[in-house]
Amino acid sequence: MGVGTGDVNNDGNLDVVTGDFFGNSVSILLGNGDGTLQAGVVVPLTDTVSGFSAAAVPVKTADLNGDGWADIVAGVQSPDLGNPGIAVLINDGTGAFTSPPEFYAFSTQIRGLEILDLTGDGNLDVVYANRDDDTINVVPGNGDGTFGSEAFFDVTGGPVGVAIADFNNDGNQDVATPLVFSSEIAILAGDGAGNLTELARYPANSPEGIAVGDINGDGNEDLVIPFLNGDAVEFILGNGDGTFGSTQSISTGSGSLPIAIALGDVNGDGFDDIHAGLFIAGNVQVLRSNGDGTFQAGVDFPVGARPRDFAFGDFNGDGANDLAAANGATSGTATVILNGCGGVQPCLADVNGDGAVTPTDFTAWVNAFNNNLPECDQNGDGACTPTDFTAWVNNFNAGC
């Protein structure tokens, strides 16, 4: 149900951590540096005293105690344990997590989780949304891997995620949260000391998640939300003063049911692109930003059944932004999609190597296919086959 990235064993390669809802665990998949991952190592989220376990939802990595090793925070649920909000796993300094998890705070429906210094004391804190209690919860870090008593900030309407950025450019981190029951986005201003004050709300149709980034290149933070029942994604452009413009919508296709959302620059043009997880199709749809607040038509890439969460990172060291997806069905899988755009790797769709992606590259691909040239291999399977034509079309439509 959740996926995060980080170098947990300090070997210079990016690793993947998943939150395993039905497994009551997190799984650590070490990266080999070439885009492949090792088999997952399962770390149970079990209380050593009671023996009860917790189901993991979102998961993040960060160095919580300043020892130079990435630790893990998972948002969890367990009625037997009183519905703790988070489980903390401290790295033992070898890339393993041999100490039992510590559980903090209480939440019946944790949705969304971020790690950052919200209280201004130099220590990393945890911020998450509690849908059923209508709160945004801030759990202050002590800087040694432990946490203090959480603070609750009321936001009625069913908050189901958090996006954190400086929306009003005052130097303090603010919070945006989607409200699934009231169909709104609430903006909460931070004061730099961990306190949040609601500023405004904006309409959004039954939002199930939220992502933050700059999609039009004006330097202000924008927001993107999946519209599950409307087969669309919605976005609102930030004005840089804590206010936002009108809500706009983009179709993701009939019956697509987008449920996960992320923003990341996939082609290196400096603009954040939309990634929507399509619940039924098992695809991630990428909608490339034109840099002016409009988007190109979405291009679908297969991941796994019911993708629920995304994380970005460079898994093969080519300088391009790759994608990890948590496949929310009971298949027990995560997916990594390697990016052929940007970085030191040439653009795949630019078969003739002229630095532009144009229809003339189709002729170049046909020539590469007929002569079994390396440029023919557009899907990365090491072979030149007719299936590479479909892959070339997808790369062309994606602009790379």
Side-chain angles (χ1 to χ4, degrees):
M1 294 288 285
V3 63
T5 60
D7 183 5
V8 300
N9 61 346
N10 277 355
D11 66 350
N13 300 325
L14 196 62
D15 311 310
V16 170
V17 179
T18 64
D20 310 329
F21 187 84
F22 294 107
N24 295 330
S25 61
V26 298
S27 293
I28 301 168
L29 298 88
L30 297 178
N32 296 316
D34 59 359
T36 64
L37 302 172
Q38 300 176 29
V41 176
V42 176
V43 182
L45 296 176
T46 303
D47 180 64
T48 56
V49 176
S50 66
F52 292 127
S53 297
V57 196
V59 63
K60 301 286 184 181
T61 67
D63 181 6
L64 301 175
N65 57 1
D67 64 355
W69 293 82
D71 308 305
I72 298 172
V73 177
V76 295
Q77 300 171 12
S78 173
D80 294 322
L81 290 172
N83 285 311
I86 60 172
V88 177
L89 294 160
I90 299 299
N91 199 317
D92 66 3
T94 69
F97 296 82
T98 52
S99 298
E102 292 286 342
F103 297 99
Y104 295 88
F106 295 89
S107 173
T108 54
Q109 281 287 346
I110 181 170
R111 299 292 183 90
L113 181 151
E114 295 294 340
I115 304 174
L116 76 165
D117 180 14
L118 194 72
T119 56
D121 60 0
N123 301 324
L124 291 177
D125 312 308
V126 173
V127 182
Y128 67 89
N130 185 345
R131 188 194 71 179
D132 289 357
D133 288 343
D134 283 334
T135 59
I136 297 297
N137 296 14
V138 178
V139 191
N142 296 320
D144 58 0
T146 66
F147 289 82
S149 299
E150 68 178 333
F152 307 88
F153 299 94
D154 294 332
V155 190
T156 58
V160 291
V162 289
I164 302 179
D166 184 4
F167 296 120
N168 56 3
N169 288 312
D170 66 351
N172 300 322
Q173 296 297 304
D174 311 308
V175 175
T177 182
L179 306 175
V180 68
F181 298 137
S182 63
S183 292
E184 296 171 303
I185 302 297
I187 309 298
L188 294 86
D191 65 355
N195 300 304
L196 299 172
T197 302
E198 185 173 331
L199 290 181
R201 296 191 177 197
Y202 298 88
N205 288 287
S206 301
E208 289 285 344
I210 193 167
V212 59
D214 184 4
I215 59 180
N216 61 348
D218 64 355
N220 300 323
E221 301 289 356
D222 311 309
L223 297 170
V224 179
I225 312 102
F227 181 10
L228 177 67
N229 297 325
D231 295 329
V233 293
E234 297 180 324
F235 67 93
I236 51 177
L237 298 177
N239 297 318
D241 59 359
T243 66
F244 289 81
S246 59
T247 303
Q248 304 178 64
S249 180
I250 311 170
S251 172
T252 53
S254 177
S256 56
L257 297 179
I259 193 168
I261 200 76
L263 278 171
D265 182 5
V266 296
N267 60 342
D269 64 356
F271 305 114
D272 285 325
D273 308 301
I274 296 176
H275 298 67
L278 307 185
F279 189 76
I280 298 300
N283 293 332
V284 53
Q285 184 171 121
V286 180
L287 300 98
R288 291 182 57 227
S289 171
N290 292 318
D292 58 0
T294 65
F295 292 85
Q296 299 181 21
V299 179
D300 291 353
F301 298 91
V303 282
R306 303 179 182 179
R308 294 299 298 264
D309 193 21
F310 297 129
F312 295 102
D314 183 5
F315 293 103
N316 59 353
D318 67 352
N321 224 1
D322 307 312
L323 184 72
N327 302 325
T330 56
S331 58
T333 64
T335 300
V336 168
I337 300 179
L338 298 181
N339 186 347
C341 298
V344 298
Q345 182 175 344
C347 178
L348 287 176
D350 181 18
V351 182
N352 62 15
D354 64 358
V357 178
T358 67
T360 60
D361 288 298
F362 169 69
T363 303
W365 180 85
V366 172
N367 179 66
F369 175 79
N370 290 334
N371 294 280
N372 197 28
L373 299 176
E375 293 80 8
C376 170
D377 181 17
Q378 292 283 305
N379 59 15
D381 64 358
C384 179
T385 68
T387 60
D388 287 298
F389 171 69
T390 301
W392 178 84
V393 171
N394 285 337
N395 291 332
F396 176 84
N397 288 336
C400 206

